[in-house]
Amino acid sequence: MHHVVILGGSYGGIAALRRVQINRDVRVTLVDHHPYHYLQTEGYELISGDTYFDKTIVNLSTLCANYENVTFRHSSVEHIDPETKSVHLSDGIEMYDTLIIALGSVTKRFQCDARVYNYSSGAKSLLGALKLNRFFQDELYKRLESARYAKENFNIIVRGAGLSAAEMRQRTSYVY
Ligand SMILES: Cc1cc2nc3c(=O)[nH]c(=O)nc-3n(C[C@H](O)[C@H](O)[C@H](O)COP(=O)(O)OP(=O)(O)OC[C@H]3O[C@@H](n4cnc5c(N)ncnc54)[C@H](O)[C@@H]3O)c2cc1C
């Protein structure tokens, strides 16, 4: 049976999966190093405490179980060998007839002060978004508990003025 391997279980990979699985003559393997699909589009809500954690993830095993010809493999992609049509994973090899690569992108950080760089945290990963969320919650808690902190202003400086910065500025000022 024709084997389609999809690397990356996010928006791109899942959209491809939904199309490909319609063909009953193929079997599909979806590979991702996370067991979940993190809904990046909910990232700002997650950071600002505007949505629940479990509303921002989709279980990939459960998703794949909806389709008879789809299997989920929780593993990390290390190397692709087009010669032998194989994908080398952290825990083995997956042979493919057709390969779909949907591994996403890496955020480009423009040159900036090292101190800013070291303190920055992205919303692109679930962990990054959760770290920011916890940071805000911890700061708020400190102010609630401590007379010293309560007297200080809680200033959030958003550096950058692109789409993400605008979204963060609006949401954090509303919630916090
Ligand atoms: C906070 C935020 C809000 C956004 N809001 C919007 C919006 O409102 N509208 C919009 O259109 N776009 C929005 N975007 C952009 C959108 O999320 C991205 O364009 C989209 O996620 C790209 O999808 P993708 O499938 O190509 O890659 P990704 O979503 O990055 O997925 C890549 C997948 O590959 C997996 N992966 C990566 N490396 C490996 C490896 N080595 N081995 C195994 N698996 C691996 C990852 O775990 C991930 O599941 C937003 C982005 C962010 C960060």
Side-chain angles (χ1 to χ4, degrees), residues 8-12 32-34 40-41 43-44 75-77 102-104 123-124:
S10 185
Y11 297 101
D32 203 291
H33 58 186
H34 294 308
Q40 284 181 24
T41 49
Y44 303 120
S75 187
S76 190
V77 178
L103 292 169
K124 207 170 158 51

Side-chain angles (χ1 to χ4, degrees), residues 56-67:
T56 63
I57 45 173
V58 173
N59 183 314
L60 288 173
S61 291
T62 308
L63 177 88
C64 290
N66 288 320
Y67 308 103

Side-chain angles (χ1 to χ4, degrees), residues 43-62:
Y44 303 120
E45 283 87 341
L46 180 59
I47 291 167
S48 59
D50 227 3
T51 189
Y52 294 110
F53 168 65
D54 64 338
K55 299 266 185 260
T56 63
I57 45 173
V58 173
N59 183 314
L60 288 173
S61 291
T62 308

Side-chain angles (χ1 to χ4, degrees), residues 7-9 31-32 77 80 100-106:
L7 306 181
V31 181
D32 203 291
V77 178
I80 299 167
I100 297 174
I101 304 173
L103 292 169
S105 55
V106 177

Side-chain angles (χ1 to χ4, degrees), residues 75-137:
S75 187
S76 190
V77 178
E78 291 183 344
H79 172 69
I80 299 167
D81 184 359
E83 296 279 317
T84 56
K85 291 199 157 193
S86 58
V87 181
H88 295 249
L89 304 169
S90 48
D91 61 350
I93 289 180
E94 202 67 66
M95 307 298 291
Y96 63 84
D97 297 300
T98 300
L99 183 67
I100 297 174
I101 304 173
L103 292 169
S105 55
V106 177
T107 303
K108 175 159 177 60
R109 294 186 195 230
F110 295 99
Q111 271 193 332
C112 65
D113 191 317
R115 284 166 300 176
V116 175
Y117 185 90
N118 292 338
Y119 278 102
S120 65
S121 175
K124 207 170 158 51
S125 72
L126 180 61
L127 184 63
L130 284 174
K131 273 186 187 166
L132 284 167
N133 172 274
R134 280 193 209 125
F135 167 76
F136 286 131
Q137 309 248 6

